[in-house]
């Protein structure tokens, strides 16, 4: 199990760790927006990070870095 916490920051760096398992759902909450990525066979942490970053980049009030 992971640790859940809530804090507000102007900017943040997120580091993904662990081993992705098929069917796992990784989520990140940015303000009132919750982004999620479901792991499929062959996905790496980079795939998950890129998937979440793509969703974050589509938000009008967020400016994530990949």
């Amino acid at each position: 199990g992971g640790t859940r916490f809530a804090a507000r920051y102007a900017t943040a760096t997120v580091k993904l760790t662990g081993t992705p398992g098929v069917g796992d759902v990784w989520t990140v909450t940015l303000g009132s927006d919750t982004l999620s990525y479901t792991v499929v066979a062959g996905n790496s942490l980079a795939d998950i990070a890129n998937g979440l970053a793509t969703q974050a980049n589509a938000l009008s009030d967020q400016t994530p870095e990949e």
Side-chain angles (χ1 to χ4, degrees):
T3 301
R4 294 182 179 258
F5 62 93
R8 295 204 178 267
Y9 297 95
T11 63
T13 299
V14 177
K15 180 179 179 180
L16 304 181
T17 61
T19 303
V22 173
D24 286 352
V25 178
W26 292 61
T27 60
V28 174
T29 301
L30 302 174
S32 61
D33 297 300
T34 299
L35 315 176
S36 64
Y37 184 91
T38 302
V39 177
V40 296
N43 278 164
S44 66
L45 291 175
D47 295 318
I48 297 165
N50 288 333
L52 292 169
T54 297
Q55 293 177 56
N57 285 329
L59 300 175
S60 62
D61 61 347
Q62 308 294 330
T63 55
E65 296 178 10
E66 295 183 8

